[in-house]
Amino acid sequence: MVSIYPLSPMQAGMLFQALREPQSSAYFEQMSFTIQGSLHEAHLEKSLSLLMERYDIFRTVFMCEGLERPLQIVLKKRKPSIIFEDYIGLTKDEIKISMERFKRADREQGFDLTNDVLLRIAVLRTDESRYEMV
C-alpha cells in the first residue's frame, strides 16, 4: 500500500529545478566522515532500515509525467541504499585517489526523484579498523 499526497510548495519548487537542470547539484549534499574502530555492516543496514521505516521522506518518490500536478508517493517499504567497498591493500595515495573518484562519481550520479532512495550511504574501508562513510 502507498500513500499519495500533493507536493508542498517547497517540494514543487525543488522538483521544478531538478527537472529543469538535471545535472545541478543545488539540492545535493554529500558529506563524509571517518569511523575509527569496528563497524558491523548488518547493524548499519538494520539502523538505516529502521530510520527509513520511521520517516516517510526516505520512502518517497515523486511523479509528474502525465499528471496535471506532481504528486509524492510514500511507499510502505523501501530498501536502504548502502554500498560497501574495501580499499585495504591500496597505498595511501591510491586510497585517496579512489575515494575522490568515488565521491565525484556519486555526485555526478545525482538522484532520480521518481525512482531513487533519497538517501544513500557508502562505506569505504581504508584499513582494518578505519572506514570513510559517504
Side-chain angles (χ1 to χ4, degrees):
M1 183 175 176
V2 299
S3 298
I4 301 173
Y5 305 101
L7 273 61
S8 70
M10 182 177 280
Q11 287 172 320
M14 291 171 79
L15 180 62
F16 173 79
Q17 290 297 329
L19 294 173
R20 186 169 167 246
E21 295 181 56
Q23 300 305 318
S24 172
S25 62
Y27 298 109
F28 185 99
E29 288 294 324
Q30 183 185 71
M31 297 178 282
S32 67
F33 55 91
T34 301
I35 296 173
Q36 185 72 38
S38 62
L39 182 114
H40 300 280
E41 292 179 13
H43 293 167
L44 179 62
E45 289 178 288
K46 179 65 175 172
S47 297
L48 190 54
S49 291
L50 290 171
L51 185 71
M52 291 180 73
E53 284 177 27
R54 183 170 188 156
Y55 296 103
D56 293 353
I57 193 61
F58 295 125
R59 300 186 319 274
T60 299
V61 294
F62 298 89
M63 294 297 181
C64 55
E65 278 192 43
L67 300 174
E68 186 176 313
R69 293 197 132 164
L71 297 171
Q72 57 179 307
I73 300 169
V74 181
L75 306 172
K76 185 173 181 169
K77 281 193 96 60
R78 196 91 202 252
K79 189 177 177 187
S81 176
I82 305 179
I83 297 169
F84 294 95
E85 290 194 10
D86 194 339
Y87 294 165
I88 291 180
L90 300 179
T91 66
K92 286 184 180 185
D93 286 340
E94 290 171 330
I95 289 172
K96 183 178 179 180
I97 291 167
S98 295
M99 286 190 343
E100 288 306 314
R101 187 178 298 138
F102 179 90
K103 290 176 183 180
R104 184 176 52 254
D106 181 62
R107 286 189 303 272
E108 288 171 358
Q109 178 183 345
F111 285 94
D112 175 354
L113 299 177
T114 65
N115 189 43
D116 291 347
V117 176
L118 301 180
L119 169 70
R120 63 179 175 249
I121 293 177
V123 179
L124 312 175
R125 188 173 187 188
T126 59
D127 202 324
E128 286 299 324
S129 60
R130 189 177 180 98
Y131 305 83
E132 186 78 14
M133 186 176 287
V134 181

